[in-house]
């Protein structure tokens, strides 16, 4: 029987082939795609300015032409200024020879140091290895026996005295070498000067044309892209594309502002230090800062080297180095988080991988454009389902949600990292949110794996025990915090009878997972000043009913974690209601997807007072019932006296 091809394998093969075709197209089509990509980034950057001019009653064509002309005119002026700076630097370099030699001599020693001895040994070995091998003794003897005639006509090699010429005054003189130089025509000289400028000028012209037409037809281009990507879901796709355009435009604008200010600060600082050509170094720093991580330090090399050549001593070179360090620290830790968040939205590995990829594809300009291009791909991958893998691979967002990460670390036997996940979530959220959004979903995942037979008993016990330890540790913190507050101390100082009448008893419906959920609920109730306790899951249902009677509990909460415990919760509620008609019975069916109408009808039929699905909802309901019970107790006190 012929083997049926696997659809998944075939789709993966098609994806790999498509990726290879795209990469090959990017590499071999870089002469066309590079100007096009640069034009896309510039259009994202200039589009907000064009839109603002259009709101000021400018027409589309005047707004686009004015914006593009101003932008490229500014670039041209800056290029001219930088060219003059480079020319001035090249003209002044010979003047710095004295300082360079002085600093080089500062590193020289008397030759007795380890470094000098090693260097000398390496040089001697290199000379011996590079020297021609010595001639054999017999050959040497034969070569020394030459006739006088041979010695006379040996030419310059036989004796340098015979190879010299006599000058007019009788002195011997070396022969003058003669070189034949062909004169170049004016056309060849012009071609040598203008020829290297033609490719960059052609690229710049193509970029300008692309930018103009992209800005003029941006709605048409957007509509065509929407039709190609998600024509059947126009509303969602349009919102996604608009959001992506706003995000990319904002990032590029913020990055341009940050890099420009960064370069300006470097320029001003170098001027104050006294380094020549400070404008050149500031502009170079602003451009190279688009290169992730290493760009600013590459830009710092040349100013630092020039400072060593220009200045006497080491103070001002140290100030140049300190200027770059201080500027980078302030920019990374203050300016960037304030303007657009703590990161670019790309993971560190993603930034480095994208830098290598775009440099390989498009060379140095690809390295400068790597981060903006990767931001574009990440944003598009966030909204386009077909390109979602880009967001997964490149973004700094957690691929696994917090509950799955917590559960995965429990399965891996790593309680420390699981605790870190809980602590990280708790640092930005409340304890109720941690329990409802992380720990309970993790326990549900464990119950589902157990139900499918994918989780053994040993692993399940490890998951339960680790979760219990984390919950108990958080409970100890809560107890300490409660004891330190006057309000909690006053609430705890109420009479024993009052606490007994308002006591809440949590009953696990089936197993340890239900007990752990009840333990979380007890902690939340203690935070609110309500006395509560959770029973052991090993207690039989009949024994639980006896505990309710023995402790005179006013409120009972049945803790049930799907999918196993729902039936047991219904069974326990069905036994409690006939025995205690006045008892307030709450059933906590801990699931975020909601409860089906059929399950809700079955539980309501047992006579429960309330069905809740989250610990937060349960704590609020139990607090309300507890207050009502205390009010009722206060109203009954005078009558009993």
């Amino acid at each position: 029987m012929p083997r049926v091809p696997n659809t998944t394998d075939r789709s993966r093969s098609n994806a790999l082939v498509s990726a290879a075709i795209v990469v090959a197209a990017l590499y071999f089509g870089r002469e066309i795609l590079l100007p096009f990509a640069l034009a896309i980034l510039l259009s994202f950057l200039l589009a907000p300015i064009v839109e603002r001019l259009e709101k000021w009653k400018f027409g589309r064509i005047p707004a686009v032409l004015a914006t593009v002309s101003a932008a490229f005119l500014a670039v041209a002026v800056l290029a001219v200024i930088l060219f003059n700076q480079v020319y001035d630097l090249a003209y002044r370099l010979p003047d710095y020879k004295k300082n360079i030699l002085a600093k080089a001599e500062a590193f020289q020693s008397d030759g007795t140091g380890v470094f000098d001895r090693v260097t000398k040994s390496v040089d001697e070995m290199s000379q011996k290895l590079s020297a021609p091998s010595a001639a054999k003794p017999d050959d040497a003897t034969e070569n020394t026996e030459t006739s006088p005639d041979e010695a006379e006509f040996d030419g310059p090699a036989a004796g340098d005295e015979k190879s010299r010429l006599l000058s007019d005054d009788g002195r011997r003189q070396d022969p003058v070498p003669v070189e034949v130089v062909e004169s170049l025509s004016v056309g060849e000289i012009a071609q040598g000067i203008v020829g290297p400028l033609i490719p960059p000028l052609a690229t710049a012209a193509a970029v300008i044309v692309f930018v103009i037409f992209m800005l003029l037809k941006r709605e048409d281009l957007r509509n065509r892209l929407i039709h190609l990507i998600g024509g059947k879901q126009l509303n969602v796709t349009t919102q996604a594309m608009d959001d992506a355009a706003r995000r990319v435009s904002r990032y590029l604008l913020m990055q341009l502002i940050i890099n420009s200010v960064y370069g300006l600060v470097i320029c001003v600082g170098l001027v104050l230090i006294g380094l020549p050509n400070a404008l050149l170094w500031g502009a170079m720093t602003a451009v190279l800062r688009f290169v992730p991580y290493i760009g600013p330090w590459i830009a710092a090399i040349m100013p630092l080297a020039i400072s060593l050549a220009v200045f006497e001593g080491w103070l001002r070179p140290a100030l140049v180095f300190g200027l770059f360090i201080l500027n980078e620290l302030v920019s990374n830790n203050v300016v960037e988080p304030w303007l657009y968040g703590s990161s670019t939205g790309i993971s560190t590995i993603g930034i480095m991988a994208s830098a290598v990829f775009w440099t390989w594809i498009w060379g140095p300009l690809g390295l400068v454009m790597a981060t903006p291009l990767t931001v574009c791909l990440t944003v598009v991958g966030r909204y386009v389902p077909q390109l979602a893998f880009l967001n997964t691979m490149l973004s700094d967002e957690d691929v696994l949600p917090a509950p799955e990460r917590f559960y995965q670390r429990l399965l891996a036997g790593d309680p420390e990292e699981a605790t870190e996940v809980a602590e990280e979530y708790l640092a930005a959220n409340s304890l109720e949110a941690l329990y409802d959004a992380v720990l309970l979903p993790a326990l549900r995942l464990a119950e589902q794996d157990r139900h499918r037979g994918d989780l053994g008993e040993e692993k399940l016990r490890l998951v339960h025990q680790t979760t219990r330890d984390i919950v108990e540790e958080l409970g100890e913190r809560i107890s300490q915090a409660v004891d330190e507050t006057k309000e909690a101390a006053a609430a705890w100082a109420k009479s024993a009878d009052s606490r007994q009448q308002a006591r809440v008893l949590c009953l696990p419906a089936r197993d340890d997972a239900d007990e752990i959920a009840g333990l979380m609920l007890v902690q939340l109730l203690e935070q609110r000043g309500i006395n509560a306790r959770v029973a052991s899951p090993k207690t039989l249902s009949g024994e639980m009913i006896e505990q309710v009677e023995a402790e005179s509990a006013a409120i009972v909460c049945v803790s049930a974690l799907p999918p196993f415990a729902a039936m047991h919760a219904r069974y326990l509620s069905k036994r409690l209601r006939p025995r205690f008609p006045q008892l307030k019975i709450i059933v906590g069916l801990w699931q975020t997807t909601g409860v089906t109408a059929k399950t809700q009808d079955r539980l309501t039929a047992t006579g429960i007072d309330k069905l809740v699905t989250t610990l937060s909802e349960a704590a609020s309901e139990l607090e309300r019932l507890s207050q009502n019970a205390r009010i009722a107790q206060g109203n009954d006190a005078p009558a009993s006296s």
Side-chain angles (χ1 to χ4, degrees):
M1 180 178 178
R3 180 179 179 270
V4 179
N6 192 337
T7 305
T8 303
D9 295 340
R10 184 167 54 189
S11 62
R12 290 178 179 175
S13 300
N14 293 337
L16 291 176
V17 172
S18 301
I21 293 174
V22 170
V23 172
L26 289 173
Y27 182 79
F28 292 105
R30 57 184 177 272
E31 297 296 334
I32 298 175
L33 296 178
L34 183 57
F36 188 75
L38 185 58
I40 291 176
L41 294 180
L42 291 177
S43 63
F44 274 126
L45 182 63
L46 300 178
I49 303 176
V50 174
E51 292 176 356
R52 180 59 59 89
L53 291 178
E54 290 179 357
K55 291 181 180 179
W56 291 346
K57 305 304 180 181
F58 278 78
R60 170 64 59 87
I61 295 178
V64 171
L65 293 180
T67 302
V68 174
S69 301
F72 285 97
L73 181 61
V75 173
V77 171
L78 182 60
V80 171
I81 295 175
L82 294 182
F83 177 79
N84 292 331
Q85 292 281 307
V86 172
Y87 178 81
D88 181 69
L89 175 64
Y91 183 79
R92 291 188 181 188
L93 277 179
D95 299 337
Y96 306 145
K97 181 170 60 176
K98 180 179 178 181
N99 286 335
I100 295 175
L101 294 176
K103 287 187 171 59
E105 291 175 357
F107 287 99
Q108 295 179 356
S109 61
D110 56 358
T112 59
V114 176
F115 179 78
D116 293 327
R117 296 180 65 182
V118 171
T119 304
K120 184 177 180 181
S121 300
V122 172
D123 292 339
E124 290 177 355
M125 288 186 290
S126 300
Q127 292 175 2
K128 290 182 180 179
L129 292 175
S130 60
S133 58
K136 295 181 180 180
D138 297 338
D139 297 337
T141 304
E142 295 175 359
N143 292 335
T144 55
E145 298 176 357
T146 56
S147 62
D149 296 335
E150 293 175 348
E152 183 179 357
F153 295 97
D154 273 345
D160 53 277
E161 291 296 330
K162 294 182 180 181
S163 65
R164 298 181 181 274
L165 301 176
L166 295 177
S167 60
D168 295 338
D169 56 359
R171 297 181 181 179
R172 296 186 182 274
Q173 185 178 2
D174 291 335
V176 179
V178 178
E179 295 182 1
V180 179
V181 180
E182 296 181 359
S183 61
L184 298 176
S185 64
V186 177
E188 291 175 342
I189 296 175
Q191 183 179 1
I193 297 175
V194 179
L197 299 177
I198 293 178
L201 291 177
T203 302
V207 170
I208 294 174
V209 172
F210 279 145
V211 169
I212 291 175
F213 281 98
M214 285 180 182
L215 292 175
L216 288 174
K217 300 292 183 181
R218 59 182 184 273
E219 289 85 0
D220 180 66
L221 293 175
R222 181 197 61 196
N223 294 337
R224 293 178 185 276
L225 187 60
I226 289 174
H227 179 73
L228 290 174
I229 296 175
K232 296 181 180 180
Q233 297 179 347
L234 291 177
N235 185 28
V236 176
T237 309
T238 301
Q239 293 179 0
M241 293 298 297
D242 290 341
D243 186 30
R246 285 195 301 269
R247 288 173 181 265
V248 174
S249 299
R250 183 174 183 273
Y251 166 74
L252 291 175
L253 182 60
M254 291 298 102
Q255 190 70 15
L256 179 63
I257 293 174
I258 290 174
N259 291 358
S260 300
V261 174
Y262 190 102
L264 180 61
V265 172
I266 292 294
C267 178
V268 173
L270 294 179
V271 168
L272 295 178
I273 293 174
L275 186 69
N277 308 108
L279 181 59
L280 173 63
W281 312 129
M284 186 174 67
T285 303
V287 173
L288 287 176
R289 202 173 182 278
F290 281 102
V291 179
Y293 297 114
I294 61 174
W297 307 115
I298 295 176
I301 293 176
M302 281 301 296
L304 185 60
I306 295 298
S307 68
L308 292 174
V310 172
F311 302 125
E312 297 180 358
W314 303 96
L315 175 60
R316 285 194 278 186
L319 291 177
V320 173
F321 185 67
L323 174 64
F324 276 89
I325 291 180
L326 179 62
N327 211 18
E328 189 69 13
L329 291 175
V330 173
S331 177
N332 289 339
N333 298 291
V334 179
V335 179
E336 289 184 359
W338 174 53
L339 287 180
Y340 57 78
S342 59
S343 68
T344 59
I346 312 173
S347 64
T348 303
I349 299 298
I351 290 177
M352 300 305 297
S354 66
V356 173
F357 175 79
W358 290 112
T359 304
W360 170 61
I361 293 292
W362 287 346
L365 190 56
L367 177 61
V368 176
M369 298 169 59
T371 301
L373 286 174
T374 309
V375 170
C376 295
L377 293 177
T378 304
V379 174
V380 172
R382 185 176 302 168
Y383 293 102
V384 180
Q386 295 88 339
L387 302 177
F389 69 94
L390 293 174
N391 184 49
T392 302
M393 294 172 58
L394 300 175
S395 70
D396 59 353
E397 298 176 354
D398 291 324
V399 179
L400 292 177
E404 296 181 10
R405 285 192 291 131
F406 181 81
Y407 178 50
Q408 191 272 333
R409 297 323 301 164
L410 294 181
L411 292 177
D414 190 357
E416 289 80 9
E417 189 168 347
T419 305
E420 290 179 3
V421 173
E423 295 282 359
E424 179 182 351
Y425 191 90
L426 185 60
N429 301 275
S430 64
L431 185 65
E432 291 181 357
L434 171 66
Y435 286 163
D436 276 327
V438 180
L439 269 60
L440 279 182
L443 291 176
R444 282 197 300 270
L445 291 173
E447 292 295 314
Q448 291 172 3
D449 288 346
R450 177 188 176 190
H451 181 69
R452 291 193 298 261
D454 297 335
L455 189 62
E457 291 297 327
E458 183 178 355
K459 281 285 187 181
L460 182 65
R461 284 196 298 270
L462 177 62
V463 170
H464 287 169
Q465 185 59 45
T466 306
T467 307
R468 186 195 304 275
D469 294 340
I470 293 175
V471 172
E472 290 177 351
E473 180 182 355
L474 294 175
E476 293 177 359
R477 298 184 192 176
I478 294 172
S479 299
Q480 294 175 358
V482 168
D483 293 341
E484 292 174 358
T485 59
K486 296 181 180 180
E487 294 81 4
W492 192 255
K494 293 183 178 180
S495 63
D497 293 339
S498 175
R499 292 199 307 270
Q500 186 71 15
Q501 289 296 328
R503 185 180 185 88
V504 177
L505 185 62
C506 291
L507 302 179
R510 186 175 185 271
D511 55 17
D512 291 342
D514 304 324
E515 181 199 10
I516 296 172
L519 182 61
M520 299 178 194
L521 179 59
V522 166
Q523 290 183 3
L524 298 180
L525 293 175
E526 289 180 350
Q527 269 190 322
R528 302 175 184 230
I530 300 173
N531 188 18
R533 189 178 71 85
V534 60
S536 172
K538 299 179 181 179
T539 306
L540 300 177
S541 58
E543 295 175 344
M544 289 184 181
I545 294 175
E546 293 177 359
Q547 283 186 3
V548 173
E549 183 176 10
E551 298 183 13
S552 301
I555 308 168
V556 166
C557 180
V558 180
S559 175
L561 194 68
F564 290 109
M567 183 179 64
H568 295 273
R570 184 163 61 91
Y571 172 75
L572 186 57
S573 302
K574 191 174 181 179
R575 294 193 61 183
L576 283 171
R577 177 51 67 203
R579 183 75 176 269
F580 306 100
Q582 303 299 323
L583 182 66
K584 299 297 182 180
I585 303 176
I586 305 297
V587 174
L589 199 59
W590 317 120
Q591 59 183 33
T592 57
T593 57
V595 180
T596 62
K598 185 177 180 180
T599 302
Q600 188 171 3
D601 292 340
R602 286 183 176 180
L603 287 170
T604 304
T606 61
I608 66 172
D609 295 279
K610 184 75 174 179
L611 174 64
V612 295
T613 58
T614 64
L615 292 174
S616 177
E617 183 183 2
S620 299
E621 182 65 21
L622 292 172
E623 183 180 20
R624 183 184 66 82
L625 293 176
S626 178
Q627 291 175 352
N628 292 341
R630 289 175 180 173
I631 292 174
Q633 177 192 359
N635 294 335
D636 293 341
S640 61
S641 60

